[in-house]
Amino acid sequence: MRAIGLMLAILVLNAPAEAAVPGEADLLICATKPDAADRLACYDRAVAGLSAEAQRLSVKREADAKAFAAAEAAASAKLATEAAAKMEADKLAAFGADSIRADDRPARLAENLSQIDAKVAETFAAFGDKLVFSLDNGQMWRQIDGMPLPPVRAGHEVMVKKALLGAYKLTIIRIGRTVGVVRIR
C-alpha cells in the first residue's frame, strides 16, 4: 500500500502543473492512508479545501452529525429511564405476588424489595372480622391474623413488609397496628 502511495506522490509531483486538478495532490495522498477512518478524515479535509461551497458543506455535515449524535444520546437516555421505571413498576407489582402465582418469577423480580408504601383505596370485610385492603397501587391484601382493627379508611397510609418465612405484615401508619396479610391480587 505504501508503494502505491509513493508512486502516486511521485506522479503528482512530476505531473505538469496545467494538468493537475486543484487539490488533486491532497486527494491522492488521502488515497494512500491504510486506516479507513484516517482516510475519510483526510478526504474530508481535502474536499473542504477545494472551495468555499465545499467548506460550507463540510461544516454543515459535521453539525448534522453532532446533532444526530446528541439526538441519539437523548433517545438512549430516555429509553434507559423508561426501562428503569418499568423495572421498578414490575418489582412493585411482583411484591407479594408469590402467594397468587404458581411460578417463582414474581418472587425473583421483587427479591430486593423488602417493603412497599401505599394508601388504602378501599377496605372490605372478609371472613368475619378480618379485612381485605385494596391499595392505590392496584394490589389487594387479605388480613390473615390479628385482632379486629378499628375503622380503616380510604387514604390511610400503609406499609407492607416482608416477614419471616415468606409472610407479610401490613402496618396501618395512622392507627399504629400491624397484621399478617396475604396478597390476593
Side-chain angles (χ1 to χ4, degrees):
M1 189 63 140
R2 289 181 188 213
I4 293 172
L6 184 57
M7 287 174 31
L8 287 173
I10 290 171
L11 287 173
V12 168
L13 293 174
N14 289 330
E18 64 274 3
V21 174
E24 182 179 15
D26 292 336
L27 292 173
L28 291 174
I29 290 170
C30 294
T32 65
K33 301 220 179 261
D35 182 65
D38 288 344
R39 191 170 49 254
L40 179 60
C42 182
Y43 280 132
D44 286 346
R45 284 189 302 273
V47 169
L50 292 178
S51 69
E53 178 64 11
Q55 177 69 33
R56 186 189 67 75
L57 291 172
S58 183
V59 168
K60 181 184 181 316
R61 179 192 37 78
E62 288 178 19
D64 289 348
K66 286 179 183 176
F68 177 78
E72 192 174 54
S76 179
K78 181 181 177 189
L79 287 175
T81 301
E82 289 172 355
K86 182 174 180 345
M87 180 61 102
E88 284 303 310
D90 288 350
K91 281 182 184 180
L92 178 65
F95 185 79
D98 48 335
S99 64
I100 57 175
R101 294 198 181 130
D103 68 357
D104 66 342
R105 183 175 174 269
R108 283 182 288 143
L109 273 174
E111 65 188 9
N112 295 331
L113 195 59
S114 62
Q115 78 175 47
I116 62 166
D117 298 312
K119 290 185 180 179
V120 174
E122 195 173 359
T123 59
F124 309 95
F127 305 111
D129 54 1
K130 306 292 189 236
L131 292 177
V132 172
F133 302 89
S134 176
L135 304 181
D136 63 348
N137 62 13
Q139 295 179 357
M140 194 172 279
W141 296 80
R142 179 174 45 87
Q143 179 183 357
I144 56 173
D145 68 7
M147 300 172 50
L149 294 169
V152 179
R153 310 241 186 269
H156 281 181
E157 293 179 352
V158 295
M159 175 179 52
V160 182
K161 284 181 110 174
K162 284 184 181 179
L164 295 175
L165 303 173
Y168 293 88
K169 298 287 186 179
L170 181 139
T171 301
I172 303 141
I173 306 297
R174 185 177 202 157
I175 299 171
R177 294 277 304 274
T178 300
V179 294
V181 291
V182 64
R183 184 164 167 194
I184 57 175
R185 184 180 73 187

